[in-house]
Amino acid sequence: RRVCAAVPQSRVAAYAESHIQPVYQPYLTTCQDHRLCSTYRTIYRVAYRQAYRQLPQTAASCCPGWRRAHGHALSCNRALCWVPCQNGGSCIFPGRCACPPGWMGQTCETDVDECAGQSHGCGQLCINTAGSYRCACQDGFHLAADDKACQPLGPAPEPESFSQAGSPSEIKEEMQELKSRVEALEQKLQLVLAPFHNLMPSAPEDVGADPISRLSHSLQQLDRIDSLSEQISFLEERLETCKCPEKA
């Protein structure tokens, strides 16, 4: 195929050639004076050597745009592209490239704009890339699992979410129970703070109106009262030990 001329040629081929090789082997024998003598005898064995010969062979002259592939002498099945194929393309005919998906042109040099048509399947936006494309979404949306459709960013309301949370009557009962517990705690706090209010009915202006601030201020006043009591007791003890003599 695609051979324009067959030229007779010859090639050199190597082969193994057998031949008879003489081998001289020494041995001992008895001489005429009954002494041992050393001599040689000749034996022959088959040996092999490498030889060369010319073999006729017909070489193919490929047509323009084709060349031999895999060293085959009579096959010109490899196309030639004078400009190399780009972006993963392969030469399938002289001067013509087969392009992978996403590329086109004589040498696969032009990117296919998949976003120009409607076959991309993107839900909102289509962004063309080199040899391919990708889908995108507008603000407030994100890509779905198929990387084409767009879904809102906010979670969709579940139909059974209200029933899972409870009925309105149950929610009201729970809120009323919480309010009752808060009121009971406030009453207990007022009972605890009552003695301090009796000690200090009016709080200074810099003390907050919340019960915690008033409690803290009352505790500070109690500390001061205890300190003054200790000082008075100390002075009374000194007066007991240091009494002046009575006048006669």
Side-chain angles (χ1 to χ4, degrees), residues 2 6 42 57-58 62 86 102 162 169 184 198 200 204 213 226 236:
R2 305 180 181 93
T42 303
Q57 180 182 10
T58 301
C62 297
Q86 304 177 27
F162 183 77
S169 60
N198 295 330
M200 184 174 290
S213 300
D226 292 340
E236 289 178 349

Side-chain angles (χ1 to χ4, degrees), residues 31-43:
C31 298
Q32 294 179 358
D33 54 359
H34 304 288
R35 290 183 302 172
L36 292 176
C37 297
S38 176
T39 183
Y40 293 90
R41 62 183 175 184
T42 303
I43 61 174

Side-chain angles (χ1 to χ4, degrees), residues 40-191:
Y40 293 90
R41 62 183 175 184
T42 303
I43 61 174
Y44 298 90
R45 66 179 181 182
V46 178
Y48 295 90
R49 59 190 175 189
Q50 190 174 18
Y52 300 92
R53 60 184 173 184
Q54 296 287 336
L55 296 179
Q57 180 182 10
T58 301
S61 178
C62 297
C63 297
W66 298 93
R67 65 183 177 88
R68 285 189 296 272
H70 308 298
H72 200 282
L74 296 178
S75 178
C76 298
N77 56 358
R78 181 65 61 86
L80 293 176
C81 290
W82 296 273
V83 179
C85 301
Q86 304 177 27
N87 301 308
S90 58
C91 186
I92 59 172
F93 199 78
R96 185 186 303 172
C97 297
C99 301
W103 300 95
M104 63 180 181
Q106 188 174 4
T107 59
C108 307
E109 76 282 0
T110 304
D111 174 45
V112 177
D113 188 2
E114 293 86 356
C115 298
Q118 300 297 328
S119 60
H120 49 76
C122 295
Q124 292 183 355
L125 304 176
C126 178
I127 301 176
N128 184 49
T129 60
S132 184
Y133 70 98
R134 63 182 178 89
C135 298
C137 298
Q138 299 174 357
D139 293 340
F141 294 86
H142 67 94
L143 281 176
D146 59 355
D147 292 333
K148 289 189 176 183
C150 293
Q151 296 178 350
L153 288 177
E158 299 181 1
E160 300 180 357
S161 60
F162 183 77
S163 61
Q164 293 175 357
S167 61
S169 60
E170 294 177 355
I171 296 176
K172 290 181 180 180
E173 291 178 0
E174 186 176 356
M175 292 178 61
Q176 187 64 32
E177 182 180 356
L178 291 175
K179 288 181 180 179
S180 301
R181 293 177 63 182
V182 171
E183 291 176 358
L185 291 174
E186 289 179 350
Q187 292 176 2
K188 291 182 179 180
L189 182 61
Q190 292 296 333
L191 292 176

Side-chain angles (χ1 to χ4, degrees), residues 173-230:
E173 291 178 0
E174 186 176 356
M175 292 178 61
Q176 187 64 32
E177 182 180 356
L178 291 175
K179 288 181 180 179
S180 301
R181 293 177 63 182
V182 171
E183 291 176 358
L185 291 174
E186 289 179 350
Q187 292 176 2
K188 291 182 179 180
L189 182 61
Q190 292 296 333
L191 292 176
V192 172
L193 294 178
F196 302 105
H197 289 304
N198 295 330
L199 292 174
M200 184 174 290
S202 59
E205 296 180 355
D206 57 346
V207 178
D210 59 297
I212 302 300
S213 300
R214 296 178 63 86
L215 176 61
S216 176
H217 181 74
S218 299
L219 292 176
Q220 292 178 2
Q221 296 300 322
L222 286 177
D223 290 340
R224 294 177 182 176
I225 293 173
D226 292 340
S227 177
L228 289 174
S229 299
E230 291 179 357

